[in-house]
Amino acid sequence: MVIDVVNNTKCIVQSDLYQGIVREIKSLIPIKIRPSYEDVFANIESKRVLLSGLSFEDVSDTLLNDRAGIITYSTAKFTKNHNVDCEQEGYKDSESEGSVDFGEYSQGFLLANVLEYVLAKKDLLQLEEYIKASRIPNAKAYTKEIVDLVFSSSGK
């Protein structure tokens, strides 16, 4: 079963749909993403999926049917967490004067965002339990941040 979860995680992260969304996000914010998806990250992210209580079908459906919401949430979260002022048409590349380097993200960053996004829209208690189970400090405050970003970015 664990091997299936890891393989399903890899399949989603390496899918054309997922990678297309990652490329779109990269065009909007100054995020650097590791070019390869190592097994260690697949193991970590597969545990996140299990902790969330969501299915891979939930994740795939969201990527397919709420692409714009996921992109908006992901860019808003990055911008908030890194205090970045991105222009509407994009951002200055890393060659530009005054740019800031945030390090590299795993390709699974989007999967983590999808889990938060779906749980925020579906069940706030389940979201908070997921955040606590993930051992993220100040779970209540972080849950509120997620909900605020999801609903302010979706316009609801």
Side-chain angles (χ1 to χ4, degrees):
M1 173 164 163
V2 172
I3 292 173
D4 289 342
V5 174
V6 173
N7 286 336
N8 285 339
T9 302
K10 287 180 180 179
C11 284
I12 285 180
V13 170
Q14 295 170 340
S15 72
D16 290 339
L17 175 62
Y18 185 99
Q19 290 299 316
I21 294 170
V22 167
R23 281 190 299 278
E24 193 166 340
I25 291 169
K26 284 175 67 174
S27 75
L28 298 170
I29 57 175
I31 188 171
K32 290 183 182 175
I33 301 165
R34 297 179 64 83
S36 60
Y37 188 57
E38 293 87 0
D39 286 345
V40 67
F41 294 118
N43 288 330
I44 291 168
E45 277 118 23
S46 64
K47 288 176 185 168
R48 286 184 180 162
V49 174
L50 291 174
L51 284 175
S52 75
L54 297 173
S55 69
F56 287 101
E57 194 171 311
D58 293 329
V59 172
S60 295
D61 286 349
T62 303
L63 290 169
L64 188 61
N65 299 315
D66 203 354
R67 179 185 187 111
I70 289 299
I71 290 169
T72 301
Y73 171 67
S74 296
T75 56
K77 181 179 174 183
F78 182 89
T79 301
K80 182 183 185 315
N81 290 339
H82 295 291
N83 220 3
V84 175
D85 184 20
C86 299
E87 297 175 16
Q88 198 128 18
E89 289 80 35
Y91 64 92
K92 293 182 178 184
D93 64 24
S94 59
E95 306 290 319
S96 299
E97 187 178 319
S99 65
V100 178
D101 184 0
F102 300 113
E104 286 185 328
Y105 280 69
S106 160
Q107 289 195 20
F109 84 95
L110 180 60
L111 180 57
N113 288 352
V114 169
L115 297 175
E116 293 172 355
Y117 181 85
V118 171
L119 289 173
K121 290 189 136 204
K122 182 178 177 180
D123 185 338
L124 296 181
L125 185 57
Q126 189 178 353
L127 172 61
E128 189 173 336
E129 290 304 314
Y130 164 71
I131 298 302
K132 286 178 184 175
S134 300
R135 298 179 181 214
I136 296 173
N138 304 314
K140 274 196 182 306
Y142 186 63
T143 299
K144 184 182 178 333
E145 273 183 42
I146 292 168
V147 170
D148 289 348
L149 284 172
V150 166
F151 290 105
S152 69
S153 64
S154 68
K156 294 182 182 173

